[in-house]
């Protein structure tokens, strides 16, 4: 088992019980995250922000009485997907769960977010020894969003 301390003092743990090929071929073994929803109050503004900041395209629909704008998803690619979600139960916030988006360049992405009216909450921090950089921004809805760049 390998342990690494994150920048916020939370441990990430890698358990070396199965190798990667075994995990891919064994039913029942998978990463725990499957889907996320980011709450919004103005769907048009949110779609514009995420489209221009991250170059995402969205598919929209109404689902269970809520407006949804789904992030791109390719079944064969790693990672999860989700949606921007507007409805009575969705309240933008900086507290609670934090989702990190993969970006090619955290500094450029922060710049795009700031140019659109977003805020920098946590400056770009490069962990070269761990092979990644992180930052956090606030979107135009008031949500805290993490950025993750592989180095």
């Amino acid at each position: 088992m390998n342990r690494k301390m994150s920048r916020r003092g939370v441990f990430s743990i890698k358990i070396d019980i199965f190798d990667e090929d075994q995990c891919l071929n064994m039913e029942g073994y998978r990463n725990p995250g499957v889907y996320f929803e980011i709450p919004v109050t103005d769907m048009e503004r949110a779609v514009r922000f995420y489209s221009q900041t991250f170059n995402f395209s969205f598919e929209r629909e109404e689902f269970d009485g809520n407006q949804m704008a789904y992030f791109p998803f390719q079944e064969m690619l790693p990672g999860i997907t989700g949606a921007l979600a507007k409805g009575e139960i969705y309240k933008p916030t900086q507290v609670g769960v934090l989702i990190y988006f993969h970006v090619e360049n955290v500094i450029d992405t922060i710049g795009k977010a700031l140019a659109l009216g977003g805020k920098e909450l946590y400056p770009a921090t490069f962990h070269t020894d761990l092979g990644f950089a992180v930052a956090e921004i606030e979107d135009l809805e008031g949500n805290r969003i993490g950025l993750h760049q592989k180095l």
Side-chain angles (χ1 to χ4, degrees):
M1 177 167 58
N2 297 327
R3 276 184 159 193
K4 290 185 182 176
M5 177 79 83
S6 77
R7 66 177 173 77
R8 294 199 188 259
V10 177
F11 284 101
S12 66
I13 301 172
K14 179 182 175 191
I15 301 173
D16 297 320
I17 297 172
F18 303 105
D19 70 26
E20 190 172 334
D21 291 333
Q22 286 176 320
C23 286
L24 293 174
N25 294 321
M26 296 180 71
E27 277 199 44
Y29 291 95
R30 64 190 70 192
N31 291 319
V34 295
Y35 179 77
F36 63 87
E37 293 175 342
I38 298 174
V40 304
T41 55
D42 184 329
M43 185 62 78
E44 295 304 317
R45 177 178 61 199
V47 166
R48 192 169 41 256
F49 177 82
Y50 283 88
S51 295
Q52 293 177 12
T53 301
F54 298 99
N55 199 31
F56 292 144
S57 59
F58 292 89
E59 291 186 29
R60 298 186 198 196
E61 75 171 351
E62 187 164 311
F63 186 79
D64 287 342
N66 299 300
Q67 292 180 36
M68 309 300 278
Y70 297 104
F71 288 90
F73 180 68
Q74 295 289 323
E75 187 75 35
M76 300 305 294
L77 296 177
I80 63 172
T81 193
L84 300 173
K86 179 182 178 185
E88 187 177 318
I89 65 167
Y90 296 102
K91 308 291 184 225
T93 183
Q94 283 190 17
V95 298
V97 175
L98 175 61
I99 185 83
Y100 279 81
F101 285 115
H102 166 77
V103 297
E104 293 298 318
N105 186 301
V106 290
I107 305 259
D108 290 348
T109 304
I110 291 169
K112 289 177 186 178
L114 293 175
L116 294 166
K119 297 176 183 170
E120 181 180 47
L121 300 178
Y122 184 79
T125 304
F126 291 81
H127 299 280
T128 53
D129 56 325
L130 300 174
F132 66 87
V134 294
E136 293 174 13
I137 60 171
E138 181 183 87
D139 68 10
L140 300 182
E141 303 301 301
N143 295 302
R144 183 173 53 123
I145 302 296
L147 309 175
H148 183 276
Q149 174 187 337
K150 196 170 188 178
L151 300 176

